Amino acid sequence: MDEVILRSERLTKSFGKFIAIDNIDLKFKSGIITSIIGPNGAGKTTAINLLTGALHPDKGKVFFKDKDITSLTPDQSVKHGITRSFQIMNIFPMLTVLQNVELPLLSLLGKNLKWFYAVSRYRDVAEEAEKILRELSLWDKRNKVAGELSHGDQRALEMGMAIAPKPEMCFLDEPSSGTNPLERASILELIKRLAEEGSTTFVIIEHDMDVVFSLSDWTIVMNKGKVLAEGEPDEIRQNKEVVEIYLGEEV
Amino acid sequence: MTWLTNTLVLSINSHRFKLVWLGAFIIFLFILPLFSGDYLLYMVMQMAILCLLSYSVNLLLGYTGLLSFGQAGFYACGAYACGKVLLAGASLLPGIVIGVAVAAIAAIILGFFCVRHTAIYFAMLTLAFGMMIFSLTQKWVNFTGGDDGLIGIPRAALNFFYIFNIKMDTIPAYYYFVIAATLIAIYILYRILNSPLGLIFQGIRDSETRVSFVGISVRKSRLICFTIAGMYAGLGGALLAPLEQTITPSASHWINSTDPIIATLLGGMYNFSGPIVGSVIYFLLKDIIVRFTMNWMLILGIIIIILVLTFRGGVMGAFRAYLLPWLKSRLRQGA
Ligand SMILES: Nc1ncnc2c1ncn2[C@@H]1O[C@H](COP(=O)(O)OP(=O)(O)OP(=O)(O)O)[C@@H](O)[C@H]1O
Ligand SMILES: [Mg+2]
């Protein structure tokens, strides 16, 4: 399972004069959990935006299983099997919990142009939605309006939306940000379980070191738009440069 | 008194009773011509047309999160196209269908340029489109008749090959046609909004980026929505042509874009029946206030300000948020 599933070649992105991503080559191996860490403003979110089609690079290319996906739009990239969650909560707050997971299933199951029968009439969508909500322990809250859920539940729901399209690759941008320790533990548990059960390759951006070291098999450290170091979590923990620039702040 | 509140609460809450209310409403509409004069029927038809325009607005505003100031343009497209077809001697159905089709085509073309922009730019572009259509109806004299408009549009018979042929020249006859067409259109919209496509529209309202990251093209979905909305405005216009028998540039006046927006806000934009309730109330308000004062716009302005500042959900929203709980508590006290 050591093959590279997604990689970038000399990726560069500037905002005005500010270079947010500076000529980086990233590689993600399939079947393992990779985490990206780095101080605020390191360019982690921007990197994910470039890899998922939310932004397009000034220079460089992105390859998914050796196919050039640099210029795909987000919806096309999802159809290729790449999904994500967002650092700032991004769910459908006025829709019900159930509708929130039905939406990603519509496109997966080719129902997005059906316009006459109620959503609930499509058995495959309903069954799949139930499976996902039970996995997230949100089945009992399925008829609640999503915006009224607790923060932790909203985070879990967003994760459900990211995995609903059965992606090959899923980027999670600080999936536990803003949650309390209890919620955080259950979200991490969820990620671990999904990674073990499914065939999805996860990439996680995290600030919490405990999370990074307990969850991931490979760690990429970013700073000022560049890759500072990468390796197994234990190596990273001992890397002097990393400790100075990043871990030092926290300890 | 208790039994009354009792029935009321029950009837508001349960799905079956909702259907009963709906059934009663439809029956009322259909027996209305038996005991009312032509003028009232004419008013109800006007309400029905405003209602279609309001649904057109609310499909965009309440369900997809887009504010269009150009629905009058599609309304005029429907009215002029239907008028032209009827003047050429066609029967009613082709007139209506072509009216709707022309509005749909206009919406696809305009939508192609508009839907990639959001919020303020979308609103401005649709406003500009409405103004373009307005001057087109005035200036393209050969086709539209200029300021005089299209005159003498016949209320053509409703026939379908040799299967049926129903005369439409009396007001009650045309009334039945308008009510039937409006109810069918609203029913279809209800289905659309509860379907996968409708769910996608509501997703776009809540979060565009999220919709694109579940694998759905926001632009394409918005274009579909904009086209459907154009068709509803076009249907309103197409029904207007045989009713008035004269179509002038005033059909494309911006007031036909803003009236339905106000009616929608009044009724409640996050409620399916909001546009109906809003249209009826708005129409009656306008009619009543005009009788007492010339300063109709002033009163209307005050109503809108109160609405926006206090009842964002409109009449239906307030009904759900305040009246329903109040009725329930009354019921509990009574029991
Ligand atoms: N759309 C944008 N326009 C201008 N500058 C941007 C934009 N997006 C990001 N930046 C800048 O690029 C830099 C990297 O931002 P990015 O969000 O990728 O950092 P990050 O590593 O995710 O940080 P954090 O840990 O705070 O989430 C920051 O300095 C940010 O201000
Ligand atoms: Mg970030």
Side-chain angles (χ1 to χ4, degrees):
Chain A
M1 286 296 254
D2 260 5
E3 68 196 281
V4 172
I5 180 167
L6 187 135
R7 69 192 159 87
S8 75
E9 254 175 31
R10 277 173 275 149
L11 213 55
T12 301
K13 178 76 187 178
S14 318
F15 297 109
K17 281 192 184 139
F18 177 76
I19 303 172
I21 294 291
D22 192 359
N23 206 21
I24 60 175
D25 296 332
L26 293 166
K27 275 198 187 81
F28 300 99
K29 287 183 198 144
S30 91
I32 61 170
I33 299 182
T34 305
S35 58
I36 303 178
I37 61 170
N40 287 93
K44 305 177 298 287
T45 299
T46 308
I48 289 197
N49 285 340
L50 293 172
L51 298 177
T52 56
L55 288 175
H56 292 120
D58 304 330
K59 266 182 261 159
K61 286 192 180 321
V62 182
F63 294 94
F64 181 60
K65 296 191 290 184
D66 289 323
K67 199 191 240 157
D68 185 347
I69 59 158
T70 317
S71 53
L72 294 191
T73 54
D75 55 298
Q76 290 168 333
S77 131
V78 172
K79 290 212 178 86
H80 277 75
I82 303 170
T83 64
R84 68 175 290 181
S85 72
F86 293 80
Q87 181 168 358
I88 297 164
M89 182 89 63
N90 199 341
I91 56 172
F92 303 114
M94 288 175 64
L95 301 184
T96 66
V97 171
L98 180 63
Q99 287 175 321
N100 267 268
V101 293
E102 279 170 345
L103 254 166
L105 294 170
L106 295 178
S107 136
L108 174 73
L109 299 169
K111 301 287 190 296
N112 48 346
L113 288 176
K114 303 279 184 211
W115 62 272
F116 196 70
Y117 291 111
V119 181
S120 55
R121 286 277 287 270
Y122 297 97
R123 286 283 300 278
D124 45 354
V125 175
E127 280 166 18
E128 196 60 36
E130 176 171 351
K131 222 166 81 189
I132 292 166
L133 286 178
R134 285 194 189 281
E135 177 103 61
L136 303 172
S137 316
L138 287 174
W139 178 245
D140 294 335
K141 298 175 183 159
R142 64 186 176 279
N143 291 323
K144 274 198 170 182
V145 174
E148 288 167 7
L149 292 180
S150 72
H151 195 83
D153 280 346
Q154 290 191 19
R155 276 289 175 202
L157 180 61
E158 183 169 10
M159 206 128 70
M161 294 162 74
I163 55 147
K166 296 201 190 328
E168 282 183 69
M169 179 120 208
C170 179
F171 292 90
L172 302 173
D173 196 347
E174 306 199 14
S176 67
S177 81
T179 55
N180 64 37
L182 230 100
E183 294 169 334
R184 170 169 302 202
S186 82
I187 283 175
L188 297 179
E189 194 50 47
L190 179 65
I191 298 174
K192 210 179 273 178
R193 209 169 61 227
L194 292 172
E196 277 162 14
E197 285 169 6
S199 49
T200 303
T201 301
F202 283 96
V203 175
I204 297 168
I205 296 184
E206 257 301 343
H207 270 302
D208 189 321
M209 283 307 114
D210 295 338
V211 173
V212 171
F213 294 129
S214 75
L215 203 61
S216 57
D217 309 296
W218 193 258
T219 303
I220 297 173
V221 187
M222 284 185 67
N223 191 30
K224 296 187 177 156
K226 289 194 167 96
V227 175
L228 184 70
E230 62 179 306
E232 289 180 7
D234 282 339
E235 292 174 53
I236 294 300
R237 214 201 296 255
Q238 270 131 45
N239 184 316
K240 254 176 111 182
E241 238 180 329
V242 175
V243 173
E244 242 169 60
I245 284 183
Y246 185 58
L247 299 181
E249 288 179 355
E250 296 226 326
V251 177
Chain B
M1 211 38 209
T2 10
W3 72 265
L4 186 66
T5 35
N6 207 329
T7 357
L8 256 175
V9 171
L10 277 178
S11 42
I12 297 155
N13 268 349
S14 89
H15 189 67
R16 193 164 11 123
F17 273 99
K18 256 187 200 161
L19 284 181
V20 172
W21 280 77
L22 180 67
F25 179 61
I26 291 173
I27 291 171
F28 168 76
L29 285 176
F30 274 87
I31 59 171
L32 188 64
L34 302 182
F35 51 82
S36 89
D38 283 359
Y39 182 66
L40 185 62
L41 297 184
Y42 172 79
M43 294 254 294
V44 176
M45 282 190 269
Q46 290 281 2
M47 283 184 211
I49 288 169
L50 178 61
C51 192
L52 285 170
L53 267 173
S54 302
Y55 271 107
S56 165
V57 161
N58 199 36
L59 172 61
L60 291 166
L61 182 61
Y63 285 90
T64 317
L66 291 168
L67 179 55
S68 165
F69 283 116
Q71 295 315 97
F74 303 116
Y75 182 65
C77 284
Y80 274 94
C82 177
K84 272 288 183 190
V85 170
L86 295 184
L87 279 169
S91 75
L92 189 57
L93 227 39
I96 302 291
V97 170
I98 290 172
V100 173
V102 168
I105 292 164
I108 291 172
I109 295 169
L110 179 69
F112 183 78
F113 297 103
C114 283
V115 294
R116 67 191 67 205
H117 303 284
T118 43
I120 191 81
Y121 295 103
F122 178 85
M124 294 319 285
L125 281 170
T126 51
L127 181 64
F129 162 77
M131 287 156 79
M132 262 168 51
I133 296 285
F134 185 55
S135 57
L136 203 63
T137 53
Q138 283 178 314
K139 300 285 150 59
W140 191 11
V141 180
N142 288 338
F143 188 81
T144 64
D147 284 331
D148 297 334
L150 302 178
I151 303 160
I153 300 166
R155 216 171 275 149
L158 176 68
N159 65 4
F160 193 72
F161 296 102
Y162 293 102
I163 303 172
F164 56 79
N165 188 345
I166 306 165
K167 286 233 183 323
M168 282 291 148
D169 31 20
T170 68
I171 283 280
Y174 189 61
Y175 167 87
Y176 280 116
F177 178 75
V178 169
I179 292 302
T182 305
L183 287 176
I184 292 169
I186 292 174
Y187 172 72
I188 291 173
L189 193 66
Y190 179 79
R191 298 305 300 242
I192 292 175
L193 289 174
N194 284 289
S195 75
L197 191 62
L199 186 56
I200 289 169
F201 293 161
Q202 294 167 65
I204 293 175
R205 171 197 65 203
D206 278 17
S207 169
E208 266 172 57
T209 50
R210 231 319 157 207
V211 168
S212 60
F213 273 106
V214 298
I216 294 162
S217 163
V218 171
R219 207 179 277 183
K220 234 186 260 168
S221 313
R222 273 218 192 110
L223 184 58
I224 295 173
C225 178
F226 194 62
T227 306
I228 299 173
M231 290 167 77
Y232 274 78
L235 176 62
L239 292 172
L240 182 77
L243 175 64
E244 299 287 4
Q245 305 195 293
T246 302
I247 292 296
T248 63
S250 69
S252 51
H253 193 271
W254 55 264
I255 201 153
N256 286 326
S257 296
T258 51
D259 270 1
I261 296 175
I262 299 167
T264 300
L265 291 176
L266 202 60
M269 63 174 167
Y270 297 130
N271 195 298
F272 183 77
S273 41
I276 299 189
V277 175
S279 298
V280 173
I281 295 177
Y282 180 72
F283 205 90
L284 294 178
L285 268 180
K286 201 167 170 174
D287 203 62
I288 293 166
I289 298 174
V290 165
R291 280 173 205 202
F292 293 103
T293 162
M294 290 301 286
N295 298 329
W296 137 250
M297 285 294 205
L298 180 71
I299 310 260
L300 181 67
I302 293 170
I303 292 175
I304 294 172
I305 290 171
I306 293 173
L307 211 68
V308 171
L309 293 183
T310 54
F311 295 114
R312 289 274 164 79
V315 172
M316 291 307 286
F319 180 74
R320 260 199 199 155
Y322 305 108
L323 196 62
L324 209 60
W326 179 79
L327 279 174
K328 272 189 203 159
S329 71
R330 279 297 300 268
L331 176 67
R332 253 180 243 117
Q333 278 167 16

